[in-house]
């Protein structure tokens, strides 16, 4: 079938995540760690005698892509339009930090106007959200996900490498005030770093009526310092939250591709989602594709190869030729990631460079 993005495992792609820049103003410990404190944290977790760091795991040296390599808004809109003609319904703008790019509302308006885009969202670290919120809303953005791993400004700084907790809180409140719905907040949980804040973060979600997502730490950090012991399994988080709040599961039978296992608070305000790519992979239902800021299509976060669309976009290819290429690329989507398997290899691109 040529008119949809169906892979060889029978999964049909409906969700396109578009990274619009690889640049970022934060240096999150689990993504682009930079500070001495982050290095010390990881160093303390590798123990030369009991748990030596494998020699092969050299940090990834990233350099921002030259601006000329980044897709122009017209090019992004064209790929989205073609993907939507092939059945994609959801589009999420991400990065790097998407709000570092100029005139993002212009891109939002362009994508919102594409017939068939049923859901347009953005993931942001929130530092600059408040100042752009109204323009984004007016341009047609309906949903926004913030990343906020800590409620304690000092720990926030430890995790993101930057001061900015107050700005992110302001962004979240602004999004609520402007009627973005739902307002989601993501936290990556790292053992020994912010796992002591799990209950406080959940209480924050309930108090502010937020959809809060706890995400397992994945091996996508530029330092390649990830190790399994730093992952707090979702089932452990859930057990703690059930004990503290008596969460009740949300019926998700109509949407098996959702990555989060969702739970409601008994009083009906706010929601918790557990995203467990490491301990309980959901690859069997994956319907996602990723377009990197430099125009590479990725069929999995953990793909070892990506597929360059730029030569087609800049070389005069027709929409039909690009559509045929998308169909062909999707056919080769991998069955799933191999985290935890002996042959697992971390991709050379970090999360900031892929688009989470
Ligand atoms: N800069 C924006 C932000 O932080 O929201 C958007 C890009 S960021 C790469 C997208 C999401 O990926 C964030 O929610 C972040 O927490 C998550 N992320 C980054 N590195 C991760 C990792 N190693 N494991 C799990 N989630 C990660
Ligand atoms: Fe930047 Fe987002 Fe990565 Fe943090 S997670 S370094 S905010 S891209």
């Amino acid at each position: 079938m040529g008119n949809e993005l169906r892979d060889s495992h029978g999964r049909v792609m409906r969700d396109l995540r578009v990274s619009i820049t690889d640049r970022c103003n934060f240096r999150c410990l689990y993504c682009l760690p930079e500070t001495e404190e982050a290095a010390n944290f990881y160093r303390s977790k590798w123990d030369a005698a009991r748990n030596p760091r494998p020699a092969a795991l050299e940090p990834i040296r990233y350099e921002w892509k030259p601006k000329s390599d980044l897709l122009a808004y017209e090019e992004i809109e064209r790929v989205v339009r073609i993907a939507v003609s092939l059945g994609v319904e959801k589009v999420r703008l991400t990065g790097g930090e998407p709000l570092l790019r100029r005139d993002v509302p212009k891109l939002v308006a362009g994508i919102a106007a594409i017939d068939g885009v049923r859901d347009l969202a953005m993931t942001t670290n929130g530092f600059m959200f408040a100042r752009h919120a109204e323009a984004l809303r007016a341009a047609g953005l309906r949903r926004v996900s913030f990343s906020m791993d800590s409620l304690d400004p000092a720990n926030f700084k430890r995790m993101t490498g930057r001061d900015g907790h107050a700005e992110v809180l302001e962004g979240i409140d602004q999004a609520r005030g402007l009627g973005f719905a739902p307002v989601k907040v993501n936290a990556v949980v790292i053992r020994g770093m912010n796992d002591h804040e799990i209950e406080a973060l959940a209480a924050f979600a309930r108090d502010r009526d937020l959809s809060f997502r706890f995400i397992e730490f994945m091996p996508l950090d530029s330092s390649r310092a990830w190790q399994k012991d730093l992952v707090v399994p979702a089932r452990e988080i859930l057990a703690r939250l059930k004990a503290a709040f008596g969460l009740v599961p949300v019926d998700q039978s109509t949407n098996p591709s959702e990555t989060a296992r969702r739970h409601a608070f008994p009083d009906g305000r706010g929601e918790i989602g557990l995203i467990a790519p490491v301990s309980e992979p959901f690859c069997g239902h994956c319907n996602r594709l990723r377009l990197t800021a430099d125009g590479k299509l990725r069929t999995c976060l953990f793909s070892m190869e990506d597929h360059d669309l730029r030569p087609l976009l800049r070389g005069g290819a027709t929409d039909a030729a690009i559509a045929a290429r998308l169909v062909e690329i999707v056919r080769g989507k991998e069955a799933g990631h191999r985290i935890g398997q002996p042959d697992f290899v971390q991709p050379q691109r970090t999360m900031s460079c892929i688009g989470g």
Side-chain angles (χ1 to χ4, degrees), residues 115-332:
D115 209 17
V117 174
R118 286 193 216 287
D119 184 19
L120 175 57
M122 174 183 286
T123 304
T124 171
N125 64 30
F127 186 78
M128 291 177 295
F129 184 79
R131 68 186 90 152
H132 297 296
E134 281 185 35
L136 290 168
R137 179 85 186 149
L141 191 69
R142 293 286 166 266
R143 297 206 297 120
V144 62
S145 298
F146 293 88
S147 298
M148 192 186 67
D149 313 302
S150 171
L151 286 169
D152 163 9
N155 209 28
F156 178 95
K157 185 173 181 187
R158 222 169 284 138
M159 289 201 73
T160 61
R162 298 287 184 265
D163 275 318
H165 190 248
E167 287 82 352
V168 177
L169 279 184
E170 188 192 345
I172 292 172
D173 286 339
Q174 179 91 332
R176 291 171 61 229
L178 286 171
F180 284 89
V183 177
K184 280 193 193 165
V185 180
N186 299 329
V188 178
V189 184
I190 299 185
R191 198 176 297 285
M193 186 45 77
N194 63 341
D195 52 331
H196 62 287
E197 293 196 57
I198 287 169
E199 287 84 359
L201 288 164
F204 172 81
R206 186 192 50 192
D207 295 346
R208 284 196 163 62
D209 198 13
L210 302 167
S211 275
F212 205 97
R213 302 291 188 244
F214 291 97
I215 307 176
E216 288 179 350
F217 179 24
M218 292 183 276
L220 287 168
D221 54 308
S222 63
S223 51
R224 294 217 257 189
W226 179 92
Q227 46 176 284
K228 200 144 192 258
D229 289 353
L230 297 176
V231 178
V232 182
R235 91 181 72 80
E236 182 181 325
I237 299 175
L238 183 59
R240 277 171 58 175
L241 293 179
K242 274 188 169 160
F245 300 100
L247 297 180
V248 283
V250 171
D251 177 18
Q252 293 176 272
S253 50
T254 54
N255 194 356
S257 292
E258 266 186 305
T259 51
R261 275 191 294 124
R262 294 161 49 203
H263 293 262
F265 290 94
D267 64 4
R269 273 173 61 82
E271 187 191 275
I272 298 296
L274 286 310
I275 303 185
V278 179
S279 68
E280 299 164 58
F282 35 78
C283 306
H285 292 293
C286 179
N287 65 357
R288 295 174 175 204
L289 288 175
R290 290 184 160 80
L291 179 65
T292 68
D294 57 341
K296 310 278 202 302
L297 198 70
R298 289 180 69 85
T299 49
C300 176
L301 268 177
F302 294 93
S303 294
M304 296 311 286
E305 63 166 348
D306 35 40
H307 307 272
D308 198 357
L309 300 182
R310 236 174 22 193
L312 294 174
L313 290 165
R314 296 186 181 173
T318 61
D319 285 1
I322 294 174
R325 181 73 186 121
L326 296 190
V327 169
E328 181 188 333
I329 292 168
V330 167
R331 213 172 288 133

Side-chain angles (χ1 to χ4, degrees), residues 50-71:
R50 285 184 303 115
N51 183 23
R53 184 182 162 95
L57 291 184
E58 281 301 310
I60 298 168
R61 307 245 166 264
Y62 63 89
E63 282 174 12
W64 307 136
K65 309 274 174 210
K67 291 225 166 108
S68 57
D69 281 7
L70 303 191
L71 294 191

